[in-house]
Amino acid sequence: MPIPESELIINRDGSVYHLNLLPDHISDTIITVGDPERVPLVSQHFDSIETQIHKREFVTHVGYYKGKRLTVISTGMGTDNIDILINELDALVNIDFVTREARPLEERIALRIVRVGTSGALQADIPIGSHLVTEHAVGLDSLMQFYPLVETGLEVEVATGIQQSLDLAYRPYCVRGSDLLREQLGAGMVVGNTLTCPGFYGPQGRVLRLDLRHPDLISRFQNFRYQSAEGEFRLTNFEMETAGYYGLGRMLGHEVVSLNAIVANRATGEFATNAEATVNDLIVKTLDRV
Ligand code: R1P
Ligand code: URA
């Protein structure tokens, strides 16, 4: 059955609705960043840039790094944008835009999607300036209320434990990312479990003029532990997209990894004095490894 025009929206030039991209703009490895201004910070390292496209918060540069074709896209903030990003990227490679039919299962294309983002550490032993690769992501956002994500027993138990420790009305979701990409790209990085929050302030325990429902939210996150056969699980860092990437990546069959430049430490109360250098180091490391 062809996918109706209201569901898969194709612009007059044949590009997909929000990303504004054509299938030919998608390389098999895609680097994603939250901040649109970070896209040129990635592509400045390219040998050449063949295409630059911009719509809303989605800025895309396509080019070559040491002979390898790469697409870098900005997403803006939050898992609602990741819903758009991953669904539209998947449509670009796995749906025929003329017939509006999805590829048969055996012909599905698996993308490699690498998030290069900033993040705040939760634990005192993860210093500002470090790079962290996310093993499990825990989503406190509502995106997976709308998809049939299948979680492992360990993932359900971790998520249920976090629900209980925060006294939440709903169960968060927990998803492990690509082991392959974590090993390939994360060598030498802190391996962590990332909490994806539906906000930067209250959901990450920040108080400006509003009090928190749980004044001890940060210490509840810091002290959460889950013992499994694999060892002790603890939460290591905060950001706002990774769980959405991992959940949608799993369901659609794409390899996804989240790399985090640690720019804040919530245990010590510090913020980076040179966040740009930590981010640029992560960009260069990523480009050299993909
Ligand atoms: C908040 O400042 C933003 O920074 C982090 C969070 O996930 C959120 O998007 O990532 P980026 O630096 O990639 O945007
Ligand atoms: N991004 C976040 O979401 N939180 C932080 O503390 C830093 C960057």
Side-chain angles (χ1 to χ4, degrees):
M1 275 279 286
I3 300 168
E5 289 182 13
S6 59
E7 320 294 298
L8 171 62
I9 304 164
I10 299 175
N11 301 320
R12 268 195 287 274
D13 64 357
S15 62
V16 72
Y17 189 44
H18 298 95
L19 300 186
N20 217 25
L21 301 176
L22 298 166
D24 184 48
H25 292 135
I26 308 303
S27 57
D28 56 6
T29 299
I30 295 158
I31 294 175
T32 61
V33 298
D35 183 355
E37 292 185 3
R38 201 176 301 144
V39 171
L41 298 184
V42 176
S43 65
Q44 70 179 348
H45 299 286
F46 286 4
D47 320 325
S48 60
I49 301 176
E50 67 180 37
T51 311
Q52 300 190 31
I53 291 167
H54 178 189
K55 187 171 179 187
R56 298 180 185 247
E57 53 268 72
F58 302 107
V59 173
T60 301
H61 291 183
V62 186
Y64 287 84
Y65 180 75
K66 296 187 179 167
K68 185 178 172 68
R69 190 165 184 262
L70 289 174
T71 303
V72 51
I73 308 178
S74 63
T75 65
M77 293 182 269
T79 56
D80 43 354
N81 281 1
I82 303 311
D83 180 58
I84 291 173
L85 173 88
I86 303 285
N87 275 293
E88 293 193 3
L89 282 179
D90 181 74
L92 283 162
V93 295
N94 284 317
I95 299 174
D96 184 320
F97 276 26
V98 177
T99 62
R100 296 182 160 274
E101 303 271 2
R103 280 178 190 275
L105 210 55
E106 62 282 5
E107 290 174 22
R108 294 276 156 89
I109 291 175
L111 295 167
R112 290 155 38 97
I113 301 169
V114 183
R115 169 185 179 266
V116 177
T118 61
S119 177
L122 259 168
Q123 309 289 350
D125 63 343
I126 302 175
I128 285 171
S130 52
H131 295 156
L132 183 149
V133 57
T134 302
E135 183 172 74
H136 288 91
V138 175
L140 296 179
D141 62 302
S142 61
L143 187 58
M144 289 305 142
Q145 304 285 319
F146 300 92
Y147 291 103
L149 175 71
V150 177
E151 293 161 276
T152 65
L154 182 140
E155 290 168 347
V156 171
E157 283 174 29
V158 164
T160 305
I162 292 169
Q163 175 182 15
Q164 286 162 355
S165 86
L166 294 192
D167 183 25
L168 287 174
Y170 62 96
R171 179 171 78 67
Y173 60 102
C174 176
V175 201
R176 187 181 175 111
S178 163
D179 292 334
L180 204 75
L181 285 186
R182 192 178 60 256
E183 277 156 30
Q184 184 191 341
L185 302 181
M189 296 185 191
V190 177
V191 178
N193 299 308
T194 298
L195 204 49
T196 295
C197 299
F200 185 80
Y201 291 96
Q204 296 188 26
R206 287 189 169 91
V207 176
L208 302 183
R209 287 208 317 116
L210 285 176
D211 289 336
L212 301 173
R213 188 152 75 88
H214 297 301
D216 60 345
L217 188 73
I218 290 282
S219 62
R220 291 187 192 207
F221 288 141
Q222 284 166 336
N223 296 330
F224 177 81
R225 294 289 183 277
Y226 179 80
Q227 297 294 338
S228 79
E230 290 182 32
E232 185 178 74
F233 179 107
R234 66 172 185 162
L235 296 166
T236 52
N237 63 305
F238 280 133
E239 53 72 81
M240 295 171 59
E241 293 87 23
T242 298
Y245 277 100
Y246 281 15
L248 293 167
R250 174 178 292 177
M251 288 182 286
L252 287 166
H254 301 297
E255 297 285 331
V256 188
V257 73
S258 174
L259 305 177
N260 302 270
I262 301 298
V263 297
N265 187 297
R266 305 299 304 290
T268 62
E270 300 163 285
F271 189 81
T273 50
N274 195 353
E276 297 77 14
T278 306
V279 170
N280 189 55
D281 288 350
L282 184 60
I283 289 171
V284 172
K285 209 181 265 185
T286 305
L287 286 171
D288 280 333
R289 293 177 178 184
V290 287

